[in-house]
Amino acid sequence: MTTFTAKPAEIEKKWVMIDADGLVVGRLASIVALRLRGKHLPTFTPHVDCGDNVIIINAAKIVLTGKKREKKIYHHHTGFIGGIKERTARSILEGKFPERVVEKAIQRMLPHGPLGRQQLGNLRVYPGADHPHAAQNPVKLDIAAMNRKNTRSA
C-alpha cells in the first residue's frame, strides 16, 4: 500500500464564493485558509497547491468580537530606521481598503513560503457585493449556516 500523492496536472480547482456580511473574521479566515490549502479534500497533499479559488464579497461588513475593533493593532514598517507604523482595525475598516483586515487574517493562517504565497493568489476579496468572476460560475458557500457562532449581529 502506498501513500497517494496528488500531482499538479491531476488537480481540479473549484470556484467558491462566500458572503462575509455579518461573519466573524477569525472563523471566516480559518475556513477560507482550509479551503485555499485543500485540506477539506481527501486528496490533500501538503506540498502541492490543491485548494480552491475563493471569492469573498462584502468584506467591509465583517464583524470583530469583543473590543478588537478598537484595540487590535496592525503594524507595518516603512523600511527606514524607527519607521514602525501602527493602525487599529477600526481605522482600516473605515478607510479606503477595508478588505485588508480579512486578507491579513487569512494570509497569517497560511504557510509562510512560496507555496503559501501561491495559495494566497487563489483568494479574491471585494469590499462590496460586486465581483468580476461570474464567468467562473462560483458555488456559494454558506458559512453562517455551518455554526451559530460564525455570525454575529454588530
Side-chain angles (χ1 to χ4, degrees), residues 2-13 37-39 41-51 115 118-119:
T2 58
T3 303
F4 174 78
T5 302
K7 292 165 191 65
E10 300 170 350
I11 295 167
E12 292 180 25
K13 289 184 165 287
R37 288 207 63 200
K39 293 188 95 172
L41 299 170
T43 59
F44 170 68
T45 307
H47 63 277
V48 177
D49 180 16
C50 53
L115 182 62
Q118 182 182 355
Q119 290 168 343

Side-chain angles (χ1 to χ4, degrees), residues 57-102:
I57 59 172
N58 293 322
K61 299 178 184 175
I62 51 110
V63 178
L64 290 152
T65 59
K67 296 182 181 178
K68 290 187 199 98
R69 190 173 180 92
E70 306 297 328
K71 298 211 173 184
K72 184 167 179 58
I73 297 174
Y74 291 90
H75 298 279
H76 76 278
H77 201 282
T78 62
F80 291 96
I81 297 170
I84 189 119
K85 303 284 185 183
E86 58 183 39
R87 294 177 70 191
T88 61
R90 178 182 175 192
S91 67
I92 295 173
L93 287 171
E94 292 173 355
K96 193 172 180 182
F97 301 105
E99 67 273 11
R100 287 187 181 163
V101 172
V102 178

